[in-house]
Amino acid sequence: MNTHDLLTMGDVTRRSGYAASAVRYYESQGLIRAERSAGGQRTFERSVLRRLAFIRAAANVGLSLDEIKAELDCLPDDRTPTKADWARMSKHWRRRLEEQIHALERLRDNLDSCIGCGCLSLQRCRISNPDDAAAAQSSGAAYLPKVLRRDPPRRRP
């Protein structure tokens, strides 16, 4: 099969695991491109599957859609990205991944200690978080490594 073979929306959703609404959203945000058939249906080059896989991996590392778009904008328009292109791009977020791995290891090793959530249920909380002093720092588990604390998803009105 040619890497420039065109895929339908159904092909892309089945192969990538994304819902059609997500694929349309990423297209509207400029992260991926689609052509339109004579009947107005979206068709995608096969290389969109790699971009969608990158979007998922980068989001899992914690990159925002703006950061992901900035990385994808560095890819060539006139050819399918090479292994070197992807390696160059992923180098930018490797450090963030290393920080997350380190933070997760610290969390794993200290799961039985105070995380600053305000429950004050552990003996150690009375020493680490007297009178819930962590509440003044932030909401949630204030003592968790910052890279592991994310704002809760916002609800749409």
Side-chain angles (χ1 to χ4, degrees):
M1 257 191 190
N2 187 329
T3 59
H4 295 287
D5 290 342
L6 295 180
L7 303 174
T8 66
M9 176 66 84
D11 294 333
V12 171
T13 60
R14 273 189 301 282
R15 187 65 182 90
S16 70
Y18 279 104
S21 59
V23 173
R24 287 189 298 271
Y25 178 74
Y26 292 150
E27 180 193 8
S28 75
Q29 298 302 301
L31 286 105
I32 60 173
R33 282 191 239 17
E35 301 295 324
R36 296 290 191 274
S37 69
Q41 293 181 322
R42 287 174 174 84
T43 57
F44 302 87
E45 285 193 11
R46 184 167 292 279
S47 60
V48 78
L49 296 173
R50 181 67 176 217
R51 283 181 176 254
L52 289 169
F54 175 80
I55 291 167
R56 176 162 288 146
N60 287 343
V61 169
L63 270 66
S64 69
L65 283 183
D66 288 338
E67 290 172 306
I68 294 169
K69 183 174 180 347
E71 293 291 341
L72 290 172
D73 285 348
C74 295
L75 292 175
D77 287 331
D78 58 337
R79 64 175 170 76
T80 302
T82 63
K83 182 179 178 181
D85 292 325
W86 291 110
R88 185 176 57 252
M89 246 176 33
S90 67
K91 187 174 14 173
H92 295 142
W93 47 278
R94 249 173 229 250
R95 183 171 161 223
R96 184 178 292 185
L97 186 56
E98 291 296 329
E99 288 171 358
Q100 286 181 323
I101 289 169
H102 180 69
L104 286 167
E105 287 172 342
R106 284 192 345 243
L107 176 62
R108 177 200 63 207
D109 295 344
N110 295 305
L111 242 127
D112 60 347
S113 65
C114 180
I115 58 173
C117 66
C119 77
L120 303 178
S121 64
L122 301 176
Q123 182 77 24
R124 183 153 178 192
C125 291
R126 296 184 199 333
I127 298 167
S128 300
N129 188 18
D131 299 320
D132 196 18
Q137 292 180 22
S138 75
S139 61
Y143 298 158
L144 279 180
K146 190 170 188 151
V147 1
L148 298 180
R149 286 188 282 130
R150 293 197 183 122
D151 293 332
R154 294 184 183 154
R155 293 183 181 229
R156 293 183 181 164

